[in-house]
Amino acid sequence: MKSVIIIGAGINGLMTAYEFNRAGWHVTVVDQGSIPNPKSASHGLHRLIHPYTPNKPERVNATKKALNMWHNLWGVLGQTHFYKTGVVLLEKQDVPWLTASYKLSFDDACKLMPILSGSTKASAYLFPEYGVLMASQILQDLVTLLAKLGVSIRSNQKVQTINSTTATVATITGEKFSADFVVITAGIGTSALLGQMNHWEGLSQQNFATKRCFVLYAELPTTLIPVRSYMPAWTFPAYNDLWGIPLILDIPLKLGCGSLTHTVDTNDLPINENHLVSQFIMHFKEFFPNCSQIKPKLLAYNHRTQGPTDMAQVFRNDLCYLVSACSGIGFKYAPLTAKTVVDYIDA
């Protein structure tokens, strides 16, 4: 039986472990924190999935494949961790490569999202089959499933050294693991691991920047909630990369603003929460004139790694492979990324 060590137990690490297990491999997953690790970028309450990325029509088919793979996983897990809220897109002008079936009048967009009423008109589209992935539940259920399938899961094991010629991994506690191959899906820890390894052709620590991103959880007045009791999720990439997830279960409204994401040299740099909350409100005012009625509850932030590309890539160094799915949108593509990695290595 072939064997593999996976370093990093975020969503891409766990999904890759699942795919290797399905292919009949013996799998060991090692992570420097708890598993799931709440400090990892992939750990969170929920994530948005939709098929639109500006100027990249090929993403439509990729996201369709990923969503279908998520639906297949629900059958294995025994429960669905997906809410089909639909996703509204606003752009400054029509998007030629989006089919007419997605097109939505701005008035209809306002009916779906009353908080848009009175805002700047824009080209609107609706992706009705998409919505929200419940990230925390997915991660926890994957860990439970992998344990049942016989995957060895080793938490709180920070990797100290990797020997790419022998596929051997040693942790700071002195424990050693050996396999046929090592796969790195370490996300925020990728740069540190690269620092101790040579011979990555065309790849270095400088290719992986630490990004700090923010979300604002808030309460929404009932007067701004549509009759059907919930709104679609939304994405406004041309307008400060605004996005949001409506109230789901007991999780408040979630507001995101990509333009507030920035590079940091260290995870410990202080933040000015009041200033950032005011920045959120300022950016959203253009589309949510009534946003003064939105009551901020919690500003949350996390760190992720921005890799050399915004889609998953696999790099090889002898018996070690590095999976770069570091883009800020890696969660939604995780099943597709994992399948690609396993097919590549198991060919």
Side-chain angles (χ1 to χ4, degrees), residues 188-256:
I188 198 71
T190 299
S191 181
L193 291 174
L194 283 177
Q196 55 171 284
M197 303 176 68
N198 299 318
H199 313 303
W200 291 97
E201 186 175 352
L203 198 64
S204 70
Q205 285 179 295
Q206 285 67 41
N207 293 121
F208 295 86
T210 300
K211 297 278 189 174
R212 178 178 281 173
C213 45
F214 302 88
V215 295
L216 180 65
Y217 291 95
E219 290 182 349
L220 189 66
T222 55
T223 55
L224 297 181
I225 298 176
V227 175
R228 65 174 186 166
S229 80
Y230 66 88
M231 292 189 299
W234 65 87
T235 177
F236 306 160
Y239 304 92
N240 290 299
D241 194 13
L242 303 178
W243 56 271
I245 296 176
L247 174 70
I248 295 177
L249 301 177
D250 59 346
I251 304 173
L253 181 75
K254 184 179 185 180
L255 304 176

Side-chain angles (χ1 to χ4, degrees), residues 147-307:
K148 289 180 179 178
L149 294 174
V151 173
S152 176
I153 300 176
R154 310 302 295 268
S155 61
N156 300 305
Q157 295 282 344
K158 186 174 182 178
V159 171
Q160 186 173 42
T161 59
I162 303 171
N163 188 323
S164 60
T165 60
T166 62
T168 303
V169 173
T171 70
I172 58 173
T173 60
E175 192 164 2
K176 292 185 178 180
F177 305 92
S178 295
D180 293 310
F181 298 100
V182 176
V183 176
I184 300 173
T185 61
I188 198 71
T190 299
S191 181
L193 291 174
L194 283 177
Q196 55 171 284
M197 303 176 68
N198 299 318
H199 313 303
W200 291 97
E201 186 175 352
L203 198 64
S204 70
Q205 285 179 295
Q206 285 67 41
N207 293 121
F208 295 86
T210 300
K211 297 278 189 174
R212 178 178 281 173
C213 45
F214 302 88
V215 295
L216 180 65
Y217 291 95
E219 290 182 349
L220 189 66
T222 55
T223 55
L224 297 181
I225 298 176
V227 175
R228 65 174 186 166
S229 80
Y230 66 88
M231 292 189 299
W234 65 87
T235 177
F236 306 160
Y239 304 92
N240 290 299
D241 194 13
L242 303 178
W243 56 271
I245 296 176
L247 174 70
I248 295 177
L249 301 177
D250 59 346
I251 304 173
L253 181 75
K254 184 179 185 180
L255 304 176
C257 181
S259 67
L260 294 178
T261 297
H262 58 274
T263 303
V264 292
D265 296 326
T266 171
N267 298 350
D268 301 324
L269 289 175
I271 63 171
N272 185 328
E273 291 197 13
N274 290 334
H275 172 72
L276 282 161
V277 170
S278 67
Q279 290 292 301
F280 265 98
I281 299 301
M282 178 187 73
H283 288 313
F284 271 95
K285 270 186 177 179
E286 180 178 2
F287 290 99
F288 300 158
N290 299 309
C291 71
S292 59
Q293 299 179 48
I294 297 175
K295 299 179 180 178
K297 292 191 67 175
L298 173 68
L299 177 74
Y301 66 95
N302 211 331
H303 297 93
R304 63 171 175 84
T305 298
Q306 181 66 55

